[in-house]
Amino acid sequence: MSQSQSPSLLMLRLSKAVVARRAYSTASAGGTREGWLYVDSVFPIQLARWDLRHYIGILRQEHLLSALQTRLEQLSSVYDFKPLELQPQRKDGGVFVRFSYTTPPSETLPDGVDALSALQDALKEEAAKDGAMPTWTGIGRGELWVVRGSPWKEDMNRFASPILKIAFDGPDVQEQSLYELCRPYGHISDITPPAVVPAGTLRSAAITFRQVYSATVARNVIHGLDIPPSSDSTLTAKTRLRAQYEKPLQAHAIRDWMSGHPKIMLPIIVFLLGTLTYTIFDPLRALMVEAKMLDWFDYRKFKLYQWLEANALDRLLTVNEKSTPASEVWKDRQDAENALHAYLADTPSTIAFVHGPQGSGKTSLLEAVVKDSNRKSLLIDCRELHNANTDSALVVALAAQTGYWPVFNFLNSMSTLIDLASVGLIGQKAGMSSSLPEQLKQILYVVTIGLRGVSSSHRASIQRQLKDEQAIETRRIQEAHRRQAILDGTWHDGRLDCIAGNGVMSELGIGDELFGEDMATHLQTKDDSLQQAMEHQEKLIRKQKTLQEAEAINSLPIVVIRNYASNMGSATREDLLVVLAQWAASLAENQIAHVIVLSDNRENAKRLTKALPSKPINSIALSDADPSSSLFFVKQKLHDAGIDIGISEQDTQYVERLGGRASDLESLIHKVRNGMKVDEAVEDIITRGVAELRRNAFGDDADDGKNLAWTRYQVWKVLKALAKAPEVGYYDMLVDFPFKGDESALRGMEHAELISISTKDGRPATIRPGKPVFRWVFERVVNDKIFQATQELAYNEKQILDTEAKIQGYEQELALLVDTMKKEKRAWYSFRRSPCVHRARFVGDKLAIAERKVGALDRKNVELKRALASLREVM
């Protein structure tokens, strides 16, 4: 019966089947009867919904039923046996067979044996002659059982069990009768007698079989069997048996106890999960971090690949390019490079903070220094972590950068759900979920273990190398002593003793003996040699110790944290920066690794300073190159690219507009290589900078401008000032309108790379353009007549609004002062003026100044509107 049939159709067919099965013993025409057989082991017994063996029976059903049909047709010699219908019972692993047969004469039956038992024995005997019944495994044999009751084929989620519950629809059946009835189907372990039940409920007994197979056969054979009353019973009603499986109590006893005691089990589960993590996964993750840094899985480090590259690839791909080293091009980077080399050559005790504007060459400088040091490095790019959309993506990104594997990120979501469930169960959280900082700290803790492993591995390799060198040196000294002894004739070869023997002849292995002065000279020479050997050994030990100390520093890995910026814009990213700062400080304090942090702004070092308060940060600043170095850089790069163009004095002036920013110089070189002239390339860079500045500084529209960290009036004043002078005073800009002491706007512009703020004696001093080319960009933006007019109008309107607010305040204060003077009581003989008079005069002067300012601004706005209208007419 298909599982896809509707419930109504299923019930209709089942009711018809029950009616037919109840009439199995009814005689039909010709003296034949119909009955039911149950053939076991045709399909696998399904123990639960997760039992995948069930699908094997489904796939092989057609083949198995066909083989069974053929096999049953061979039993026709037994009482005219003829199979009529096969109905699979896949859950219990068997098949119901409806058949017809001829009733055997009663006189041919043995004493005490009924017709059905005789039929069953005859069928089994005949089946054993021709071979076993087909089974789903192809091995073993199935048995034939005559159904004593009524077959019940159902597809409910009631799966086979070794315990069979027999309900009595009528009087109770004695335990001995149950045993005799069910014992032929398999060994019985125990029978539980009926217990007291509520009124209206059928009493039942539980029969426990040793095997599930026996329970399935008994259930399908005796279900619906009518048991007559015993001879000694006064009852005349029959008892109908109803068999069904009962789940073993032991199967879920542990689970039920665990679910019933959450206050005990949740802490145990947390402890077991933590133990599993620390004992299995954390060592594996630390090993993967070490593998990433030591390039265990990098095919370019394999000896076979290096041999192929040296003997095949390099010969086929010969490139004769000569480029000038960075140290020759960037002369002003030498100090920073030397500072980094000095930091890496010393025992780590602090963090190296390399800061400079974008395009100043921080990354290229660091790559060159790390390459020269020939040490293992670990790179963490904060920009990639910042681009992660969710906390889970952030954790995965950090794990990928550090080599932390495996990552079970979904477990944290499950832990959160468990915490929510535990609040409902026990009233408090189970403590399984962890916040983002805790997850980041856990990853970095494992990475720290991996860094220690890298250092230990490198140190062990150096120790082996030093031991090998020491062994070579010892063998060299021994060889030298042996050669000298041979020349002196005092060398004794013990191998000759085996030939010459002992006694007088053993002197053949000694050589010529020395006597007198020769012996004294020889002994003195030998003492001198021993003294020299001891001194040489001491020097060798001191040298080895010095090398070990130096190599102990060189064995430390380098951790590089790039794009460390504070303009992340969310609390989550702020947590990331704080955790990275604390981790970097712990690495430096514990001398686990050298830590180098790259940032575009010096203000980002504040978190590092808080994380490492006891040690000063090793700050290394990079600025733009001077004009001569910039021009030499452009000429050298063009020469390396095979482009030899003469740079005129006018071209030199255009190159100087770009300043020493490496990114702008690289863009210039790229444009010149593509066929543009120097002046055209510089103009293109400035034009593009104008469009980017308008979008980044003012926003695409008014609504977009509201989302910026500054106002349009503030950035316009900064642009006007820097378009006229290369730098302006920090506090000169801060104290006046429209800033009025608001430093956050200037800091926001600095983070957006619009301006750069230089310091003097630890305080902000001057404001400069964010890039050297921005001076010309600012000038181009400010000199745009239409844009200048619109911005000046908005700027003046803002000033007018602020000034009118002040005027309103002055007028209210004057009115209050006049009212106060009217109510003031003074003696007639007093000649001193009221203090309100002096205050009123002061407020009046301020009011007059404000009125004149508003008038001047109004006149300017009228002129600006006229100029703007004329410009629009011209356009």
Side-chain angles (χ1 to χ4, degrees):
M1 186 178 296
S2 175
Q3 294 182 358
S4 63
Q5 293 174 339
S6 63
S8 60
L9 181 59
L10 179 63
M11 293 299 297
L12 180 59
R13 294 195 60 182
L14 286 175
S15 63
K16 291 180 179 180
V18 169
V19 173
R21 292 163 190 162
R22 292 288 174 83
Y24 75 93
S25 61
T26 303
S28 60
T32 62
R33 290 179 178 270
E34 290 185 0
W36 289 88
L37 282 178
Y38 180 75
V39 184
D40 60 52
S41 302
V42 180
F43 300 103
I45 299 175
Q46 187 176 2
L47 301 177
R49 297 182 64 181
W50 47 261
D51 194 347
L52 301 180
R53 300 178 305 163
H54 173 64
Y55 297 98
I56 300 177
I58 295 177
L59 295 175
R60 300 193 61 196
Q61 176 174 331
E62 184 177 355
H63 169 72
L64 293 172
L65 293 180
S66 177
L68 180 61
Q69 178 74 23
T70 303
R71 188 70 185 85
L72 291 173
E73 290 176 353
Q74 297 175 0
L75 305 178
S76 59
S77 60
V78 180
Y79 301 120
D80 297 330
F81 176 83
K82 182 179 179 180
L84 301 177
E85 181 185 359
L86 275 68
Q87 293 188 9
Q89 177 76 341
R90 287 195 302 267
K91 282 199 314 175
D92 293 342
V95 176
F96 285 114
V97 180
R98 187 168 64 88
F99 66 95
S100 64
Y101 68 101
T102 302
T103 305
S106 58
E107 60 272 10
T108 61
L109 299 176
D111 295 338
V113 178
D114 58 357
L116 292 179
S117 299
L119 175 62
Q120 176 175 300
D121 296 338
L123 289 175
K124 288 184 177 182
E125 183 178 356
E126 184 66 22
K129 294 179 181 179
D130 299 332
M133 292 291 157
T135 61
W136 69 280
T137 59
I139 59 176
R141 54 182 297 176
E143 294 288 345
L144 298 174
W145 306 90
V146 174
V147 177
R148 305 285 180 163
S150 58
W152 182 25
K153 184 177 182 297
E154 45 82 17
D155 58 354
M156 294 182 288
N157 290 334
R158 296 179 180 178
F159 301 104
S161 166
I163 302 176
L164 199 62
K165 180 181 179 182
I166 307 297
F168 307 133
D169 190 359
D172 291 351
V173 179
Q174 294 182 1
E175 186 174 338
Q176 181 179 356
S177 301
L178 285 177
Y179 179 83
E180 293 174 353
L181 177 65
C182 298
R183 180 61 183 85
Y185 309 115
H187 185 80
I188 297 177
S189 300
D190 189 19
I191 297 179
T192 303
V196 179
V197 296
T201 305
L202 298 180
R203 290 165 60 85
S204 61
I207 303 176
T208 303
F209 289 88
R210 179 173 295 180
Q211 296 179 352
V212 178
Y213 157 79
S214 303
T216 59
V217 174
R219 187 262 183 189
N220 290 281
V221 171
I222 68 173
H223 177 77
L225 175 63
D226 292 333
I227 303 295
S230 60
S231 58
D232 56 350
S233 175
T234 60
L235 300 175
T236 60
K238 294 183 179 181
T239 300
R240 177 163 292 175
L241 304 182
R242 304 187 183 278
Q244 63 179 358
Y245 301 115
E246 185 174 355
K247 295 181 180 180
L249 297 178
Q250 295 80 6
H252 303 298
I254 298 178
R255 185 194 66 182
D256 295 340
W257 186 90
M258 293 172 60
S259 60
H261 299 79
K263 292 185 178 181
I264 299 176
M265 291 311 303
L266 285 178
I268 294 177
I269 292 174
V270 172
F271 172 76
L272 293 178
L273 289 177
T275 303
L276 182 66
T277 300
Y278 283 109
T279 56
I280 298 178
F281 292 114
D282 279 2
L284 177 60
R285 290 162 177 165
L287 186 65
M288 296 304 295
V289 173
E290 187 176 351
K292 177 180 175 63
M293 296 192 64
L294 296 178
D295 300 324
W296 287 352
F297 306 118
D298 189 359
Y299 67 92
R300 292 170 297 183
K301 302 297 181 181
F302 296 163
K303 293 184 179 179
L304 178 60
Y305 177 83
Q306 293 177 353
W307 182 86
L308 291 174
E309 185 180 23
N311 294 276
L313 299 179
D314 290 347
R315 295 182 181 180
L316 295 175
L317 303 175
T318 56
V319 181
N320 295 325
E321 291 186 358
K322 295 181 179 179
S323 59
T324 304
S327 60
E328 297 182 9
V329 176
W330 300 102
K331 299 296 184 182
D332 54 348
R333 301 293 190 272
Q334 192 64 43
D335 294 339
E337 185 176 351
N338 293 337
L340 276 178
H341 279 296
Y343 171 73
L344 295 178
D346 195 6
T347 303
S349 59
T350 185
I351 302 171
F353 182 72
V354 181
H355 63 92
Q358 290 185 1
S360 57
K362 299 185 296 295
T363 303
S364 58
L365 173 65
L366 182 61
E367 289 177 351
V369 171
V370 173
K371 184 177 180 180
D372 291 342
S373 65
N374 195 23
R375 291 163 60 178
K376 301 299 179 182
S377 61
L378 177 65
L379 176 63
I380 298 177
D381 194 346
C382 295
R383 182 168 298 169
E384 295 182 5
L385 302 179
H386 167 64
N387 293 333
N389 297 326
T390 60
D391 293 348
S392 300
L394 174 61
V395 172
V396 172
L398 180 61
Q401 290 186 8
T402 56
Y404 181 91
W405 184 89
V407 182
F408 305 113
N409 201 30
F410 65 92
L411 291 179
N412 190 55
S413 300
M414 294 180 59
S415 302
T416 304
L417 296 177
I418 293 175
D419 275 349
L420 293 176
S422 66
V423 171
L425 290 174
I426 63 178
Q428 61 183 7
K429 291 185 177 181
M432 297 185 64
S433 62
S434 56
S435 61
L436 177 63
E438 292 175 350
Q439 296 180 60
L440 298 178
K441 290 178 181 178
Q442 173 63 23
I443 293 177
L444 295 178
Y445 170 75
V446 176
V447 173
T448 302
I449 298 176
L451 293 175
R452 286 196 179 100
V454 171
S455 178
S456 301
S457 177
H458 190 63
R459 190 177 294 110
S461 177
I462 294 173
Q463 291 288 345
R464 288 193 298 270
Q465 183 179 357
L466 291 177
K467 288 182 179 179
D468 294 341
E469 293 178 356
Q470 184 179 4
I472 293 173
E473 182 66 18
T474 303
R475 286 196 298 269
R476 187 189 65 80
I477 295 174
Q478 292 176 355
E479 289 291 337
H481 290 168
R482 188 179 298 111
R483 287 193 296 270
Q484 184 64 35
I486 292 174
L487 293 176
D488 295 339
T490 59
W491 170 249
H492 172 69
D493 193 348
R495 293 173 294 179
L496 293 178
D497 292 341
C498 298
I499 301 174
N502 297 322
V504 179
M505 296 299 295
S506 64
E507 295 180 358
L508 294 175
I510 300 296
D512 297 335
E513 297 184 5
L514 300 176
F515 299 97
E517 296 179 358
D518 294 336
M519 176 62 73
T521 304
H522 169 70
L523 293 176
Q524 182 64 33
T525 304
K526 187 175 182 179
D527 293 339
D528 295 340
S529 300
L530 291 175
Q531 184 67 24
Q532 293 177 0
M534 292 177 62
E535 294 177 356
H536 186 272
Q537 187 70 18
E538 292 177 358
K539 292 181 180 179
L540 187 63
I541 293 175
R542 289 196 299 269
K543 180 180 178 181
Q544 182 180 1
K545 185 176 180 180
T546 303
L547 290 175
Q548 287 179 354
E549 293 176 354
E551 293 299 334
I553 297 176
N554 294 332
S555 64
L556 297 177
I558 301 174
V559 176
V560 179
I561 303 177
R562 192 167 63 184
N563 296 320
Y564 188 83
S566 59
N567 55 341
M568 293 295 185
S570 66
T572 300
R573 306 313 184 245
E574 181 72 19
D575 293 337
L576 171 65
L577 297 179
V578 172
V579 171
L580 287 177
Q582 295 174 353
W583 179 62
S586 66
L587 292 179
E589 285 182 330
N590 298 322
Q591 299 181 358
I592 298 174
H594 287 93
V595 183
I596 302 176
V597 180
L598 302 184
S599 181
D600 298 334
N601 196 307
R602 59 171 181 80
E603 295 295 328
N604 296 325
K606 292 180 178 179
R607 294 177 184 81
L608 301 175
T609 304
K610 291 180 181 179
L612 194 64
S614 60
K615 301 290 181 63
I617 301 298
N618 188 359
S619 181
I620 302 174
L622 286 178
S623 59
D624 298 317
D626 54 43
S628 59
S629 298
S630 303
L631 185 61
F632 181 72
F633 175 77
V634 173
K635 290 180 178 180
Q636 188 63 47
K637 288 295 183 179
L638 292 176
H639 177 72
D640 294 341
I643 302 176
D644 293 329
I645 60 173
I647 297 181
S648 61
E649 184 177 354
Q650 183 180 2
D651 294 338
T652 302
Q653 295 177 356
Y654 275 100
V655 174
E656 290 178 354
R657 290 187 178 184
L658 301 180
R661 186 62 54 88
S663 57
D664 292 335
L665 295 178
E666 290 285 355
S667 178
L668 170 64
I669 294 167
H670 179 72
K671 294 178 183 296
V672 173
R673 291 177 61 181
N674 290 335
M676 296 180 68
K677 296 181 180 179
V678 174
D679 55 347
E680 295 175 351
V682 174
E683 285 295 328
D684 184 67
I685 293 174
I686 294 176
T687 303
R688 291 176 181 271
V690 170
E692 293 178 1
L693 178 67
R694 285 179 178 174
R695 183 178 66 255
N696 296 333
F698 297 92
D700 295 330
D701 50 26
D703 293 335
D704 191 20
K706 294 178 181 179
N707 298 326
L708 300 174
W710 56 85
T711 63
R712 290 187 172 187
Y713 323 112
Q714 292 172 334
V715 73
W716 175 248
K717 181 172 183 179
V718 173
L719 262 62
K720 285 197 305 180
L722 293 178
K724 298 177 182 178
E727 63 180 28
V728 294
Y730 179 83
Y731 292 100
D732 296 338
M733 183 67 65
L734 185 64
V735 298
D736 203 356
F737 176 85
F739 292 96
K740 296 181 179 180
D742 182 15
E743 293 187 88
S744 61
L746 291 175
R747 296 299 180 185
M749 296 180 197
E750 184 184 22
H751 290 155
E753 303 293 336
L754 297 178
I755 61 174
S756 62
I757 302 175
S758 60
T759 59
K760 182 179 180 182
D761 297 333
R763 60 173 177 80
T766 57
I767 301 175
R768 297 178 182 177
K771 295 194 295 185
V773 71
F774 273 3
R775 179 184 177 187
W776 308 96
V777 173
F778 292 170
E779 183 178 348
R780 191 75 57 88
V781 171
V782 171
N783 292 334
D784 186 347
K785 298 299 183 180
I786 295 180
F787 188 76
Q788 178 186 14
T790 56
Q791 295 302 320
E792 284 291 335
L793 276 172
Y795 185 80
N796 292 340
E797 288 293 341
K798 179 64 176 175
Q799 280 188 295
I800 290 174
L801 289 176
D802 290 349
T803 307
E804 287 181 347
K806 292 180 180 179
I807 291 174
Q808 186 177 2
Y810 296 153
E811 291 175 348
Q812 293 177 356
E813 186 176 359
L814 285 176
L816 180 61
L817 290 173
V818 171
D819 185 63
T820 302
M821 286 187 293
K822 288 180 179 180
K823 297 178 180 180
E824 187 178 11
K825 296 181 179 180
R826 297 176 55 82
W828 60 270
Y829 54 85
S830 176
F831 295 99
R832 296 182 58 187
R833 292 185 178 182
S834 172
C836 295
V837 175
H838 298 285
R839 179 62 184 173
R841 181 176 297 175
F842 175 77
V843 174
D845 294 340
K846 300 284 287 185
L847 177 61
I849 295 173
E851 289 285 354
R852 289 193 295 270
K853 183 177 180 181
V854 170
L857 291 174
D858 282 333
R859 290 190 294 273
K860 286 183 180 180
N861 284 350
V862 171
E863 295 176 359
L864 288 172
K865 291 178 181 178
R866 289 176 184 173
L868 187 60
S870 62
L871 289 173
R872 289 176 178 173
E873 292 177 358
V874 172
M875 294 179 62

